[in-house]
Amino acid sequence: MIKLTPEEEQTLSGRYGILRQKALENIVSYAEVLGARELCKVTKATVFCGRHEYLDACGKDDFDEVFSRAQLGSDETVKFDSLYPSCHVQSCVGPCEDKKNREFRQSDALFTVNRHYLDRAKEAGVTIVGTCSPYLNGWIPIPGEHFVTTESGMTILGNSLWGACCNSDGIEAAFWSAICGRTPLWGKHTREGRRGNVRVRVDASPKSPVDWDIMGKTIGDRLPVNAVPVITVDFSQVSFNNLRQFVTAIAVSSNCEMCHIPGVTYDARSEAEAFAGKIPSYSIDISVDDMNRTYEKICTPKSGKVGLVSLGCPHYDIYQIKKAVDYLKGRKVAPGVNFQIWTTYPIKAVAEANGYLDAIREAGGDIYTGTCPTTIGRVFLEQFEGLVFDSVKQSGSVRSSVSAPNYIGDMERCLDAAVSGVWKEDYRWKMS
Amino acid sequence: MENVVIKGRGAIPGKASGHALVCPSSITGWGGIDPVSGVIKEYDNVNKGESIKDRILVMPGSKGSNGWSCYFSVTRTSGAAPRGFLFTNVDSSCAVAAVCLKIPTVVDFPSSSDPCLVIENGDYVEMDGGTGEVTITKNPS
């Protein structure tokens, strides 16, 4: 039985309208499945807006009908027209680039219906930002703040680095919380759920972003369900971008929502504090050889022709774009190579103001916003002979959609591949 | 034929039965299944090519992207939904999937009767999402 506040009781009775009522009914059912006893108030949310490919399963396009069935789980059509007043809500990536669809082989009809879906979300109160990295737009939860998000990288980053509180929930539950302002007080929203329960020791000194990315996947692949790892490794080369690459790779290869890195992340200054006096149930040792084996499993062997080079998963910040421009030094990408950098609207505007956008375009590429290759889907990806990414997350998601050769490397090696038009053996990553 | 009974916590009430599909490493979020056909697409899943449709789907919990539950929940309208869920341990993503699909669900099994270890693909499973009782008929013809 869930303990409810008077406001929650009134919401369930329909006082604040059927949309908020349905959303809270779902949150209460969700809390009961988890075994939670009460709810907590949510003040930040990112939600997954737009006419995404998975919604094809609904067999129709009418916004309210699709929203009701897919997001509310309701056969009754309920209009999505409001959010909880004190919850700040932004959109995650959509299925289409902000302004272009034909170069991504998406129909004008899809682009139009997607725009309608985004407009309807905007009318309900969602700020459309179209990014997996809402913190680049100033959407940053503070320690102890309860938030929901549809982005796994944001979940683990918010819990770990910023000490805020979030479960992985899902796309539907993020909408429910944004509408009714509540989520179950369970898991990472509680002190007990944040306690470390797995010890991870890594015998390596990661430096480059791909070092951190591969280390994250190597750890994530070995974690048991519901792990909160406490990780010890040489963190002397840690930076925000290395850290977000690292924790995102952990999240997408497990169901991990939070990790402790004593001295780096928010909740614990020491291993003992992270485990809160309890003995971890599980220990994992990771070696350089383990990381090299992970890479060999996920990067296609040998050389190959390249069709797509895509950077920016998670979406790049301005310094990563500058670094790409500096590395290119006026070189141009090979004919036939589609070279892309993905970021947020404001970062793209800053890139334009600083001449980086022109530099990327002069090189034969472009900077895009609003989505990413895997979210656009197979319709775009299936045309390419070889795919190059600087991200374990993007590479892995794409691999489930298309079987083309799929290469992973640091930004610099990806840019070399874009310029040469070929992924070469000596671009392959190896942990030293 | 051998019958095995295990018990977890009933999470979504109702009775369901069918052949088991066991994914001991779960199914990844975002693109792990085709929600129209229910076929598993995840490139390194042991059950790649199998469909979740009308199966008792057995997993340790969720895995990967927060875009996990949505691929299961829209199978409610596409007709490719499983008949029941058995999760070794509940987590937030699989709880949302269960609420959206409204199919009988049992979670939080004791470690001595982990359904991912006790049940094998093709076993016939009868489950009660109210009591949490799961009866497994091994090697049915």
Side-chain angles (χ1 to χ4, degrees):
Chain A
M1 196 68 183
I2 309 293
K3 185 180 157 194
L4 297 171
T5 65
E7 183 192 337
E8 290 158 2
E9 296 276 13
Q10 288 165 2
T11 302
L12 287 178
S13 73
R15 177 172 176 178
Y16 301 106
I18 188 167
L19 177 68
R20 206 189 294 184
Q21 179 185 7
K22 288 267 183 201
L24 188 59
E25 283 172 1
N26 283 332
I27 287 289
V28 169
S29 298
Y30 172 32
E32 286 169 345
V33 172
L34 290 172
R37 300 271 174 84
E38 56 187 302
L39 310 178
C40 58
K41 200 165 181 176
V42 170
T43 44
K44 280 193 176 67
T46 72
V47 289
F48 208 62
C49 301
R51 180 55 175 81
H52 286 275
E53 194 177 15
Y54 80 93
L55 295 172
D56 289 352
C58 294
K60 48 194 71 178
D61 273 336
D62 178 79
F63 175 81
D64 289 310
E65 212 172 325
V66 170
F67 184 85
S68 301
R69 288 184 179 223
Q71 312 305 353
L72 296 178
S74 169
D75 292 329
E76 179 188 357
T77 299
V78 179
K79 196 173 176 188
F80 175 45
D81 57 4
S82 64
L83 300 170
Y84 194 75
S86 58
C87 190
H88 297 276
V89 186
Q90 294 194 350
S91 68
C92 196
V93 287
C96 298
E97 207 276 338
D98 186 36
K99 294 188 172 63
K100 297 168 180 170
N101 61 290
R102 291 182 186 175
E103 65 185 82
F104 294 100
R105 304 171 102 191
Q106 291 174 309
S107 69
D108 292 349
L110 172 66
F111 191 73
T112 301
V113 75
N114 180 59
R115 179 51 58 192
H116 172 64
Y117 274 44
L118 295 181
D119 286 344
R120 284 294 311 274
K122 198 160 45 176
E123 285 165 27
V126 179
T127 302
I128 302 298
V129 301
T131 184
C132 58
S133 309
Y135 43 84
L136 293 177
N137 292 344
W139 187 100
I140 302 172
I142 62 169
E145 183 172 7
H146 300 282
F147 72 102
V148 296
T149 179
T150 45
E151 169 54 38
S152 53
M154 181 62 224
T155 303
I156 190 167
L157 199 59
N159 278 320
S160 309
L161 186 62
W162 292 315
C165 307
C166 178
N167 291 322
S168 294
D169 303 312
I171 285 167
E172 306 88 342
F175 273 118
W176 308 338
S177 291
I179 292 165
C180 73
R182 299 293 188 278
T183 196
L185 184 66
W186 187 88
K188 303 302 169 288
H189 294 281
T190 69
R191 184 176 291 274
E192 175 59 20
R194 301 170 69 84
R195 183 176 61 79
N197 55 18
V198 175
R199 174 179 282 125
V200 178
R201 288 188 170 141
V202 186
D203 185 15
S205 298
K207 296 177 186 70
S208 72
V210 77
D211 293 354
W212 293 82
D213 217 356
I214 298 295
M215 183 170 72
K217 177 163 174 58
T218 308
I219 292 171
D221 282 346
R222 285 163 174 73
L223 288 177
V225 171
N226 294 341
V228 181
V230 180
I231 304 166
T232 308
V233 64
D234 174 5
F235 277 99
S236 59
Q237 303 285 321
V238 75
S239 67
F240 177 69
N241 280 326
N242 284 344
L243 199 58
R244 67 176 173 139
Q245 207 78 25
F246 174 57
V247 296
T248 299
I250 293 176
V252 297
S253 47
S254 66
N255 76 341
C256 177
E257 298 164 324
M258 178 177 183
C259 62
H260 297 281
I261 305 166
V264 176
T265 52
Y266 183 84
D267 277 37
R269 300 286 95 191
S270 65
E271 247 196 25
E273 195 182 351
F275 289 122
K278 298 198 176 171
I279 297 168
S281 56
Y282 210 89
S283 281
I284 299 168
D285 291 305
I286 304 285
S287 68
V288 165
D289 287 345
D290 294 327
M291 293 165 63
N292 286 331
R293 275 193 291 273
T294 297
Y295 182 77
E296 293 307 317
K297 273 195 294 187
I298 61 175
C299 183
T300 302
K302 300 186 179 168
S303 305
K305 196 176 168 194
V306 163
L308 174 70
V309 176
S310 177
L311 309 176
C313 173
H315 281 169
Y316 266 7
D317 70 13
I318 193 64
Y319 300 106
Q320 291 170 300
I321 294 174
K322 180 180 187 303
K323 194 174 166 193
V325 169
D326 290 347
Y327 186 78
L328 280 169
K329 281 188 187 149
R331 290 180 295 163
K332 295 192 184 307
V333 303
V337 173
N338 190 323
F339 169 48
Q340 318 177 330
I341 291 179
W342 293 92
T343 189
T344 65
Y345 308 143
I347 298 291
K348 183 175 179 180
V350 176
E352 184 171 20
N354 283 277
Y356 308 153
L357 177 59
D358 282 347
I360 294 294
R361 284 178 174 164
E362 281 160 19
D366 210 337
I367 298 177
Y368 298 98
T369 55
T371 184
C372 67
T374 189
T375 311
I376 295 169
R378 184 179 168 83
V379 64
F380 170 61
L381 295 163
E382 65 186 359
Q383 64 185 301
F384 299 112
E385 207 172 311
L387 308 153
V388 177
F389 303 105
D390 65 342
S391 157
V392 162
K393 178 178 183 178
Q394 189 73 208
S395 163
S397 297
V398 162
R399 197 174 289 113
S400 294
S401 294
V402 290
S403 56
N406 185 317
Y407 308 103
I408 307 174
D410 271 327
M411 173 205 282
E412 290 81 357
R413 299 295 80 75
C414 294
L415 292 172
D416 290 340
V419 168
S420 67
V422 176
W423 177 267
K424 299 177 182 173
E425 289 260 20
D426 61 2
Y427 295 166
R428 294 181 75 77
W429 173 87
K430 191 170 175 62
M431 186 77 189
S432 53
Chain B
M1 278 187 289
E2 178 194 357
N3 273 353
V4 179
V5 178
I6 59 176
K7 198 166 187 302
R9 177 167 67 83
I12 301 275
K15 292 184 178 177
S17 57
H19 293 284
L21 183 64
V22 185
C23 295
S25 297
S26 190
I27 302 172
T28 195
W30 193 254
I33 62 165
D34 170 8
V36 176
S37 63
V39 171
I40 296 172
K41 292 163 50 188
E42 184 183 13
Y43 67 94
D44 59 353
N45 194 292
V46 292
N47 291 309
K48 185 179 177 185
E50 293 280 341
S51 176
I52 65 170
K53 182 179 178 182
D54 293 333
R55 309 290 285 269
I56 303 297
L57 191 53
V58 186
M59 295 188 275
S62 68
K63 181 175 72 173
S65 171
N66 288 17
W68 196 86
S69 57
C70 62
Y71 277 85
F72 295 95
S73 64
V74 293
T75 61
R76 193 171 72 91
T77 43
S78 71
R83 292 183 185 169
F85 277 137
L86 301 177
F87 295 115
T88 307
N89 290 111
V90 74
D91 64 45
S92 53
S93 298
C94 62
V96 172
V99 169
C100 291
L101 266 183
K102 301 179 176 72
I103 56 174
T105 301
V106 181
V107 303
D108 294 342
F109 289 82
S111 55
S112 58
S113 55
D114 181 346
C116 288
L117 300 177
V118 176
I119 304 173
E120 295 172 275
N121 273 359
D123 287 351
Y124 192 76
V125 174
E126 295 165 274
M127 58 179 288
D128 185 328
T131 63
E133 191 164 286
V134 179
T135 304
I136 304 136
T137 305
K138 305 295 287 183
N139 302 316
S141 55

